[in-house]
Amino acid sequence: MSDHAAKSQPVLSMPSSVPSNLMPSSVTSKRHPCSSASVTYISRRKLVEVVDGLLGVMTPSSTHIKPSVHFDSDGPSDEVSPYKAWLATCPSALASFDRIIASAQGKKIALFLDYDGTLSPIVNDPEKAFMSTEMRAAVKNVSKFFPTAIVGGRSRDKVFEFVQLKELCYAGSHGMDIMLSSADSSKSKTEDDKEAKLFQPASEFLPMIIEAYNSLVEATRSIRGANVENNKFCVSVHYRNVDKQDWDSVAQLVNDVLKSFPRLKLTTGRKVLEVRPVIDWDKGKAVEFLLQSLRLDDPGSVLPIYIGDDRTDEDAFKVLRERNCGYGILVSQVPKETEAFYSLRAPSEVMEFLDSLVRWKDQQQPAHDQE
Ligand SMILES: O=P(O)(O)OC[C@H]1O[C@H](O[C@H]2O[C@H](CO)[C@@H](O)[C@H](O)[C@H]2O)[C@H](O)[C@@H](O)[C@@H]1O
């Protein structure tokens, strides 16, 4: 995404076929609703400099997918006006709530929720990214009305450990480890039964990921604050707690390790470098898979909503946009180029949005049924 983020011109365009009922109220042209040439990306400009410098030191092997790294800035911008300008094109999902539910009339909403930065606030220690009791209750409540899946970058087990709700579906490792229903699977009598509910398109990469994880731990051992997380089918190298002057070294070390693993590639998140298999699979593909598997892929009767904060969530936003069937909601305090239709500022607003969905459904029909 950094190549993408580093470009000064928005590269996205609104498909002309987006139905008007799926268009945010402020969008009147074919321009992408969530990117605007008039938005000043102050923090991104600084990032571009870093990216340019960084790409200069990277020499990917010929068989290796070119790593595109930039160092993320996820703090609030000092300047209010660029954010306001951005809101005009990527409106708040709370302010647009009536419009969203208007397009859900007669349809079943299917919810897809990222974990880190969406259900839990970003914290320095990834092991302590707990979600609040209130957020857990909000997710539990919303899942009573709408099919709900968590689509996270961490291992599926880890995400489940944080969320602790059996009634949801879980897709871990950026969608490369999908369990269709954790509730059903716990009741499954046989291994065959469990396997039928499990989809792991990168399973052949497991030994390679373990090897890469060990190499990355070894390579970054000397960098104070660097932290390598094994996410089962992918590995995260965190630099949030690394001194800024050492960020280049972290990227260089990761890139050096990757030269020995031509079938692994590098993506970036919020102060994290993510190493994953080169397979054509991402959160977008995972959402498509879930919609199909759960028989929710009829755009006439289902409105999927995906809420996420990270670059990897853009793949899912894009799928919904291209299928003209639902909404991506980006969680961000700063203007970003995005494929999402709407935005929310922080996990606290995500909770408010989920609570609003529950209230709306509650008022709508006492029987608690969906259409
Ligand atoms: O796709 P996601 O579920 O959002 O996963 C992306 C990464 O999320 C986690 O890291 C992020 O959250 C941490 C805890 O708040 C924070 O310390 C870190 O800086 C963030 O990048 C997770 O730990 C990573 O493994 C995921 O790759």
Side-chain angles (χ1 to χ4, degrees), residues 72 74 113-118 120-130 150-155 158-159 162 171 173-174 227 229-231 234-241 269-274 276 283 306 308-313:
D72 193 52
D74 52 25
L113 306 169
D114 170 48
Y115 182 73
D116 287 285
T118 299
S120 69
I122 293 293
V123 293
N124 286 341
D125 182 354
E127 292 303 309
K128 298 201 170 126
F130 305 114
I150 309 290
V151 186
R154 308 218 198 199
S155 74
K158 190 77 198 179
V159 180
F162 279 128
S173 306
H174 293 294
N227 174 16
E229 186 180 7
N230 187 338
N231 289 334
C234 45
V235 181
S236 288
V237 181
H238 294 274
Y239 60 88
R240 183 170 295 277
N241 302 318
R270 298 177 72 171
K271 298 200 169 62
V272 67
L273 306 177
E274 290 161 331
R276 52 156 95 192
K283 288 184 173 184
Y306 186 109
D309 71 313
D310 222 332
R311 289 184 191 85
T312 55
D313 298 310

Side-chain angles (χ1 to χ4, degrees), residues 282-354:
D282 51 38
K283 288 184 173 184
K285 293 270 178 3
V287 166
E288 284 183 315
F289 176 87
L290 282 164
L291 286 171
Q292 271 166 27
S293 310
L294 302 171
R295 297 202 175 92
L296 296 168
D297 55 341
D298 169 22
S301 61
V302 178
L303 181 83
I305 294 180
Y306 186 109
I307 311 181
D309 71 313
D310 222 332
R311 289 184 191 85
T312 55
D313 298 310
E314 290 293 330
D315 296 316
F317 298 155
K318 193 168 176 212
V319 161
L320 298 189
R321 178 177 285 281
E322 284 175 354
R323 290 167 67 116
N324 294 334
C325 69
Y327 299 124
I329 301 179
L330 175 68
V331 184
S332 180
Q333 299 182 48
V334 292
K336 285 182 183 167
E337 279 181 23
T338 180
E339 296 271 1
F341 272 87
Y342 292 105
S343 63
L344 291 167
R345 286 185 80 103
S348 56
E349 286 199 357
V350 174
M351 190 166 88
E352 223 180 297
F353 182 77
L354 299 181

Side-chain angles (χ1 to χ4, degrees), residues 129-367:
F130 305 114
M131 68 195 281
S132 66
T133 311
E134 293 77 18
M135 179 67 97
R136 184 169 298 104
V139 176
K140 190 180 170 77
N141 287 339
V142 91
S143 74
K144 288 177 190 158
F145 294 113
F146 315 109
T148 303
I150 309 290
V151 186
R154 308 218 198 199
S155 74
R156 181 166 49 81
D157 288 350
K158 190 77 198 179
V159 180
F160 182 77
E161 216 177 280
F162 279 128
V163 178
Q164 295 172 24
L165 293 172
K166 286 192 173 164
E167 45 276 77
L168 315 180
C169 289
Y170 289 85
S173 306
H174 293 294
M176 289 180 282
D177 188 4
I178 299 178
M179 179 69 87
L180 283 175
S181 160
S182 58
D184 286 350
S185 90
S186 64
K187 285 184 209 140
S188 296
K189 299 255 179 331
T190 66
E191 281 305 306
D192 280 358
D193 223 12
K194 277 189 184 173
E195 273 175 29
K197 295 182 170 62
L198 198 59
F199 183 69
Q200 297 178 327
S203 53
E204 62 167 302
F205 287 87
L206 205 47
M208 192 187 293
I209 290 289
I210 293 170
E211 218 188 306
Y213 168 76
N214 290 332
S215 303
L216 288 164
V217 169
E218 198 46 49
T220 56
R221 197 179 289 285
S222 60
I223 307 275
R224 206 163 159 200
N227 174 16
V228 186
E229 186 180 7
N230 187 338
N231 289 334
K232 190 162 180 172
F233 294 108
C234 45
V235 181
S236 288
V237 181
H238 294 274
Y239 60 88
R240 183 170 295 277
N241 302 318
V242 171
D243 205 281
K244 203 166 183 175
Q245 68 193 16
D246 293 331
W247 288 3
D248 276 357
S249 307
V250 176
Q252 185 63 65
L253 289 167
V254 171
N255 192 51
D256 286 347
V257 167
L258 280 185
K259 285 177 188 164
S260 310
F261 296 93
R263 295 182 70 213
L264 299 181
K265 66 178 174 182
L266 188 61
T267 57
T268 60
R270 298 177 72 171
K271 298 200 169 62
V272 67
L273 306 177
E274 290 161 331
V275 172
R276 52 156 95 192
V278 291
I279 59 163
D280 183 20
W281 195 265
D282 51 38
K283 288 184 173 184
K285 293 270 178 3
V287 166
E288 284 183 315
F289 176 87
L290 282 164
L291 286 171
Q292 271 166 27
S293 310
L294 302 171
R295 297 202 175 92
L296 296 168
D297 55 341
D298 169 22
S301 61
V302 178
L303 181 83
I305 294 180
Y306 186 109
I307 311 181
D309 71 313
D310 222 332
R311 289 184 191 85
T312 55
D313 298 310
E314 290 293 330
D315 296 316
F317 298 155
K318 193 168 176 212
V319 161
L320 298 189
R321 178 177 285 281
E322 284 175 354
R323 290 167 67 116
N324 294 334
C325 69
Y327 299 124
I329 301 179
L330 175 68
V331 184
S332 180
Q333 299 182 48
V334 292
K336 285 182 183 167
E337 279 181 23
T338 180
E339 296 271 1
F341 272 87
Y342 292 105
S343 63
L344 291 167
R345 286 185 80 103
S348 56
E349 286 199 357
V350 174
M351 190 166 88
E352 223 180 297
F353 182 77
L354 299 181
D355 286 342
S356 303
L357 283 176
V358 170
R359 268 197 307 277
W360 163 64
K361 207 66 196 172
D362 243 345
Q363 286 161 5
Q364 209 189 21
Q365 47 192 33

